[in-house]
Every structure is written in structure tokens, then in C-alpha cells.
């Protein structure tokens, strides 16, 4: 079987499964590279394998780094609403031989990941609450006099 490029595989996937935007697949590919660097995985060999749990954590960190408070909004726009969606994307790429899996890997490994609201909005909720609390606690500046 001839190996196809990422972009050829992506075109096929989008024709067969239109639940997710192309950007979601590109993001997963970038998040995998981020995971490998984050976890200091070797460039080749079986030690390079990234588990579902490792990938989900890398996805969370990478999305927050790239999109900040808009991470969840961006992912939702791409059709990604749960960790199970990341699993669907990964396994769509596995089925096109773009990514590999071990015999122990399952699409269901992604089912019980994190809650999106907590993972992507939570880090900004406490900062927002602090800013609001500080704004309420600080006295208002006196009005300026018209000159």
C-alpha cells in the first residue's frame, strides 16, 4: 500500500467524516510534536509513543499556550467538544496510516479525559475573579474636574 501524505489523508478524511474542521487535525499533529518535546521523547523508536493520557495533557497545555482564554471557543468551532473527539481525530489519522498505534491503544482511551470547561476556562476563571474582586475593593477614582 502506497503511503499518502498528511494533506492527501486529510482531504480523504474530510470527505469521509466532516465532523471536524481541517484545523483540528493540524492542531492534533502539532500537539503530538509538542507532547514529544514536552515529555522528551526520542525522535524514533518505540519510546516515542505518546499515550492517550499524555496526548490529552499536551493538547490541553498546547491549546492554552496557543489560544489562551479562547482555547475552548476555537476547539468548539473546529467541532471538538470533548476528549472523545480528540480520540476520533487521532484514530481517523491512524486509519489513514498517518499515525500509528500500539496493540494496547484504543479509541476509548480518550473517553474519560478532562472536562473542557475546567481544562480550558478554569485557568482563567480564578484570574478573572481576582480582577473583579480587586476592582470592587479599590475605591473609585475621584471624578475629574472640567477645566
Amino acid at each position: 500500500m502506497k503511503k499518502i501524505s498528511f494533506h492527501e489523508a486529510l482531504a480523504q478524511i474530510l470527505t469521509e467524516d466532516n465532523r471536524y474542521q481541517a484545523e483540528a487535525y493540524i492542531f492534533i499533529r502539532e500537539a503530538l510534536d509538542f507532547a514529544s518535546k514536552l515529555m522528551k521523547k526520542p525522535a524514533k523508536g518505540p519510546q516515542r509513543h505518546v499515550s492517550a493520557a499524555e496526548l490529552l495533557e499536551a493538547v490541553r497545555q498546547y491549546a492554552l499556550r496557543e489560544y489562551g482564554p479562547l482555547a475552548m471557543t476555537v476547539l468548539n468551532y473546529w467541532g471538538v467538544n470533548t476528549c472523545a473527539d480528540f480520540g476520533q481525530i487521532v484514530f481517523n489519522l491512524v486509519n489513514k496510516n498517518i499515525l500509528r498505534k500500539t496493540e494496547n491503544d484504543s479509541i476509548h482511551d480518550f473517553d474519560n479525559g478532562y472536562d473542557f470547561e475546567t481544562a480550558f476556562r478554569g485557568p482563567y476563571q480564578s484570574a478573572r475573579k481576582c480582577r473583579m474582586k480587586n476592582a470592587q475593593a479599590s475605591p473609585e477614582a475621584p471624578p475629574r474636574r472640567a477645566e
Side-chain angles (χ1 to χ4, degrees):
M1 179 166 68
K2 180 184 173 237
K3 182 158 171 82
I4 61 175
S5 74
F6 175 79
H7 294 290
E8 290 171 316
L10 182 55
Q12 289 178 9
I13 290 168
L14 294 174
T15 300
E16 298 164 6
D17 182 353
N18 64 1
R19 291 177 292 173
Y20 311 107
Q21 300 283 324
E23 292 84 358
Y25 290 91
I26 295 165
F27 175 80
I28 283 294
R29 190 175 184 199
E30 292 170 353
L32 271 166
D33 289 340
F34 180 77
S36 293
K37 291 173 189 162
L38 185 70
M39 294 160 201
K40 297 177 175 59
K41 299 276 186 177
K44 294 189 186 241
Q47 300 302 322
R48 180 167 168 76
H49 181 265
V50 176
S51 71
E54 290 171 330
L55 178 57
L56 287 174
E57 178 54 23
V59 160
R60 187 187 69 76
Q61 288 185 35
Y62 188 63
L64 291 172
R65 189 179 99 183
E66 292 296 307
Y67 304 110
L70 294 175
M72 186 169 153
T73 303
V74 170
L75 293 170
N76 290 167
Y77 180 77
W78 293 340
V80 180
N81 300 295
T82 67
C83 291
D85 290 322
F86 290 128
Q88 293 291 324
I89 291 167
V90 166
F91 274 80
N92 280 346
L93 292 168
V94 166
N95 292 337
K96 294 295 179 186
N97 295 313
I98 299 300
L99 299 179
R100 288 186 292 244
K101 70 176 194 76
T102 68
E103 62 186 38
N104 297 324
D105 291 328
S106 166
I107 195 167
H108 299 294
D109 295 341
F110 291 87
D111 290 350
N112 296 316
Y114 40 74
D115 171 70
F116 266 40
E117 189 75 30
T118 303
F120 297 116
R121 292 215 169 111
Y124 301 100
Q125 294 298 337
S126 58
R128 184 172 176 247
K129 287 178 185 174
C130 286
R131 282 194 307 273
M132 289 175 64
K133 191 179 277 188
N134 288 340
Q136 291 171 350
S138 62
E140 288 186 36
R144 290 185 146 197
R145 271 188 13 204
E147 294 184 24

